[in-house]
Amino acid sequence: MNEELRVDVVRILRNLNKLGKIGRREGFNGVTRLALSEEDREARDLLVSWMEEGGLNVRVDPIGNIFGVRRGSNPNFKPVIMGSHIDTVIDAGIYDGAYGVLSALEILRRIDEEGIETQHPVGVAAFTNEEGVRFQPDMMGSLVKSGGYPLEKAYARKDDDGVTVKEALKGIGYLGRDDVKPEAYFELHVEQGPVLHKRGFEIGVVEGVQGIAWWRMAFRGEANHAGTTPLDMRKDAMAGAAELYTGLLEYVAKKGNALCTVGKLRLEPGAINVVPSLADFTIDYRSYDDAIFKEGKAEVERRAEEVAKRRGLTLDKEMTADAQPVHFRPEMVGLVEASARKRTYSTFRLPSGAGHDAQFMHVICPTAMIFVPSINGVSHSPGERSDAADLERGANVLFDCTLAKAGFKKEP
Ligand code: HGY
Ligand code: MN
Ligand code: MN
């Protein structure tokens, strides 16, 4: 590996802060750049301008994934891609996704500065709708690219206002026609969990990503008077949702190695003195264990049906995401570990709790992930932070891995 090759973390931070200014909202402390929104367009345009300034060949594919590719000595070779995403959740931090994309951009700039010639082209990717907050499923750009979801089906997905992905993509000018086939894929990301920071490790060697299943569910009962309706005469949609959620929390707590979250809930009619007739909510179920993931998905659906029946409610349910647990190729995981160790960084092997585009890129090419510590494990929140020294270490490891896969020579 190349101990002397290092990134300029000050430039990465400068760009992170610039990008992090896009999506600021009155009354919020974080950023909100929902996929295919005006804020996402502004961020994409800024990224593309940086790619063009860096002399990269910018390509956009039919689902809006953006690639900036630097030529290699052998143009017939497929590019080694470093990527992540620049869309965010609501009121997010500035590191989730953007850190990986901007570190990749910095590495391409350092390759130029060092007069390095790579055999394979090397590039940076920003995938569409990784977060899945506005349109489900999440990781939509890499999911479509890896053949896991038909493009037309993705185009037809609608947000809460009935806008389709296709309309939104056209609206921001990022419905492309290009296709980039990667030789390999690396994703550098803040851990978003507490493990590395709590245990004092510098580099997370990611062995895989846990499975993610999402549903949109609606219990429908009967609105009734909160003061006169006896409990045994109620068809209370909220009571159904509450029972289902608390039951699932107990279930995953008992199982271990599984998690469940209801992150979104809307009630109707939404009045203090009316028994809710509608509870419209989401369920996010995750596990790294293949068997527990499979069993848990069935358990979520079984329990929802059972609660509905017993409480006299109707149930509408739609599964909106179903990403299997993945285990990266050992040689790719080993490459990350060897680079970090060569640089005498402390390393710890772990699965990713968060979903990432790497989960799908793994299906079409050798893929690995590199984590750096998140301070106190905070993420998907304005309090998301990582130390500059950690950010630099992670990008240096990404630098090594990319050069190792791309093959290179350096002017003396
Ligand atoms: O939900 C996730 O794990 C990712 O942040 N999209
Ligand atoms: Mn992310
Ligand atoms: Mn995220």
Side-chain angles (χ1 to χ4, degrees):
M1 303 296 178
N2 326 288
E3 288 71 11
E4 76 284 5
L5 284 176
R6 293 174 57 180
V7 295
D8 177 343
V9 72
V10 171
R11 286 194 303 215
I12 296 174
L13 283 167
R14 190 182 313 129
N15 285 350
L16 266 172
N17 285 305
K18 241 188 210 153
L19 191 65
K21 286 193 174 35
I22 302 173
R24 294 287 168 179
R25 282 182 180 178
E26 244 347 85
F28 286 85
N29 301 320
V31 286
T32 303
R33 288 197 302 269
L34 298 187
L36 311 183
S37 63
E38 257 316 290
E39 296 81 4
D40 189 24
R41 182 197 54 71
E42 199 184 329
R44 284 163 169 262
D45 290 351
L46 179 59
L47 177 64
V48 166
S49 72
W50 284 336
M51 287 178 172
E52 287 167 344
E53 275 164 31
L56 302 178
N57 175 357
V58 179
R59 295 185 217 159
V60 179
D61 76 7
I63 193 67
N65 297 321
I66 305 170
F67 298 89
V69 183
R70 182 182 187 276
R71 79 215 160 297
S73 53
N74 189 327
N76 303 324
F77 281 7
K78 291 187 285 186
V80 173
I81 297 291
M82 303 169 276
S84 196
H85 60 95
I86 58 173
D87 66 305
T88 72
V89 295
I90 298 166
D91 206 19
I94 65 166
Y95 300 92
D96 178 356
Y99 165 53
V101 174
L102 299 178
S103 295
L105 212 55
E106 165 65 12
I107 287 163
L108 296 175
R109 185 170 173 181
R110 293 288 297 116
I111 287 175
D112 274 347
E113 290 170 347
E114 293 288 335
I116 292 172
E117 190 182 344
T118 58
Q119 279 170 346
H120 288 259
V122 285
V124 46
F127 288 101
T128 293
N129 187 31
E130 189 279 343
E131 294 294 1
V133 170
R134 180 184 175 196
F135 299 102
Q136 293 79 41
D138 59 345
M139 287 97 79
M140 187 182 274
S142 49
L143 178 60
V144 168
K145 177 168 186 57
S146 60
Y149 202 85
L151 177 62
E152 288 309 319
K153 194 172 168 194
Y155 278 162
R157 296 298 293 165
K158 290 183 177 170
D159 67 8
D160 287 348
D161 300 325
V163 177
T164 66
V165 163
K166 189 166 191 176
E167 288 160 348
L169 262 177
K170 277 187 179 161
I172 63 166
Y174 279 91
L175 195 159
R177 305 161 60 90
D178 301 323
D179 182 22
V180 173
K181 289 198 180 357
E183 170 69 20
Y185 175 74
F186 292 102
E187 183 157 0
L188 172 62
H189 209 289
V190 290
E191 181 205 334
Q192 301 184 284
V195 174
L196 297 176
H197 183 247
K198 223 174 184 167
R199 299 175 186 219
F201 288 101
E202 292 166 333
I203 292 290
V205 179
V206 186
E207 294 187 303
V209 185
Q210 71 175 340
I212 306 177
W214 282 357
W215 292 263
R216 173 139 188 205
M217 290 196 180
F219 279 135
R220 281 186 173 75
E222 270 168 21
N224 220 324
H225 197 297
T228 57
T229 317
L231 291 183
D232 61 1
M233 286 177 62
R234 293 184 177 202
K235 294 188 176 179
D236 181 340
M238 179 61 219
E243 179 184 347
L244 176 59
Y245 191 19
T246 45
L248 285 172
L249 289 175
E250 283 156 19
Y251 169 78
V252 294
K254 225 182 278 149
K255 270 283 155 205
N257 195 3
L259 290 168
C260 186
T261 310
V262 170
K264 202 171 169 184
L265 170 72
R266 185 176 62 82
L267 297 178
E268 283 182 4
I272 188 167
N273 54 358
V274 181
V275 174
S277 54
L278 168 74
D280 181 1
F281 57 99
T282 59
I283 292 184
D284 174 315
Y285 172 76
R286 310 208 187 191
S287 177
Y288 187 51
D289 179 293
D290 297 89
I292 294 179
F293 184 65
K294 188 163 180 260
E295 181 202 301
K297 286 192 287 186
E299 187 64 11
V300 166
E301 300 209 347
R302 187 193 65 74
R303 284 170 178 249
E305 299 289 355
E306 194 275 325
V307 165
K309 196 153 161 260
R310 189 162 30 79
R311 289 182 170 272
L313 306 170
T314 62
L315 167 66
D316 288 332
K317 68 178 181 324
E318 181 197 6
M319 185 171 228
T320 55
D322 187 8
Q324 302 313 306
V326 295
H327 310 275
F328 297 132
R329 292 168 174 81
E331 66 276 12
M332 290 297 280
V333 177
L335 182 59
V336 171
E337 195 164 58
S339 158
R341 289 193 170 163
K342 204 80 179 155
R343 289 178 181 262
T344 68
Y345 300 158
S346 60
T347 61
F348 184 75
R349 284 181 170 236
L350 75 170
S352 171
H356 296 287
D357 293 303
Q359 195 156 2
F360 293 123
M361 293 305 284
H362 165 75
V363 171
I364 56 172
C365 68
T367 292
M369 288 197 77
I370 306 152
F371 275 172
V372 296
S374 292
I375 296 172
N376 300 324
V378 171
S379 183
H380 281 189
S381 139
E384 185 181 82
R385 296 268 181 292
S386 289
D387 285 337
D390 286 328
L391 297 172
E392 179 179 352
R393 279 188 277 266
N396 286 340
V397 172
L398 178 65
F399 203 164
D400 290 343
C401 293
T402 300
L403 288 181
K405 275 312 259 185
F408 74 105
K409 61 182 195 300
K410 188 169 175 300
E411 279 163 14

